[in-house]
Amino acid sequence: QVQLVESGGGLVQPGGSLRLSCAASGSGFRINAMGWYRQAPGKERELVAAITRGGDTNYADSVKGRFTISRDNAKNTVYLQMNSLKPEDTAVYYCNAEALKIGTVTRMESWGKGTLVTVSS
């Protein structure tokens, strides 16, 4: 099993910045793609940003130019730098990882428990 633990959420004023972190742990797995999703009250969970092991990135249109996803493969950690935050960015942010069990073709998907980001004055 791969465990994901997010940190860095909180309350920030509109226009402010936050940096989320997500650390993956667990032996016997190779972490491939990692990403951040969010779910606002009354809405479905949506992809915010994703990054492959090689560093290719993908962003939701709503966050392009404001958010940056990055990762440290040695630490199995993914980051989300969020700038110019807007009230509509308020949501629970979830970390997601796709992992391959070493020595097999078994893939598994893991989710963190989420961290709340509130953008409000």
Side-chain angles (χ1 to χ4, degrees):
Q1 287 283 359
V2 174
Q3 291 81 40
L4 302 176
V5 178
E6 303 106 332
S7 60
L11 173 64
V12 64
Q13 292 187 342
S17 298
L18 279 177
R19 188 191 195 211
L20 306 183
S21 299
C22 171
S25 62
S27 60
F29 290 90
R30 181 177 184 267
I31 306 294
N32 291 330
M34 300 186 79
W36 290 94
Y37 288 71
R38 68 185 180 187
Q39 187 167 17
K43 295 188 176 181
E44 294 187 353
R45 191 174 297 189
E46 63 175 359
L47 174 68
V48 177
I51 186 168
T52 67
R53 188 172 181 86
D56 292 330
T57 58
N58 181 41
Y59 295 92
D61 288 342
S62 59
V63 307
K64 283 181 180 176
R66 300 188 298 121
F67 291 10
T68 302
I69 189 170
S70 61
R71 66 187 287 172
D72 183 334
N73 289 333
K75 296 181 179 179
N76 281 331
T77 300
V78 64
Y79 307 95
L80 186 68
Q81 177 66 44
M82 305 185 293
N83 299 328
S84 302
L85 282 160
K86 305 175 180 179
E88 50 264 43
D89 294 317
T90 296
V92 177
Y93 284 69
Y94 297 90
C95 180
N96 172 271
E98 178 194 273
L100 179 66
K101 190 173 183 180
I102 294 173
T104 75
V105 295
T106 302
R107 297 181 181 273
M108 65 183 307
E109 185 178 38
S110 298
W111 290 91
K113 293 183 178 181
T115 184
L116 178 62
V117 172
T118 303
V119 185
S120 175
S121 55

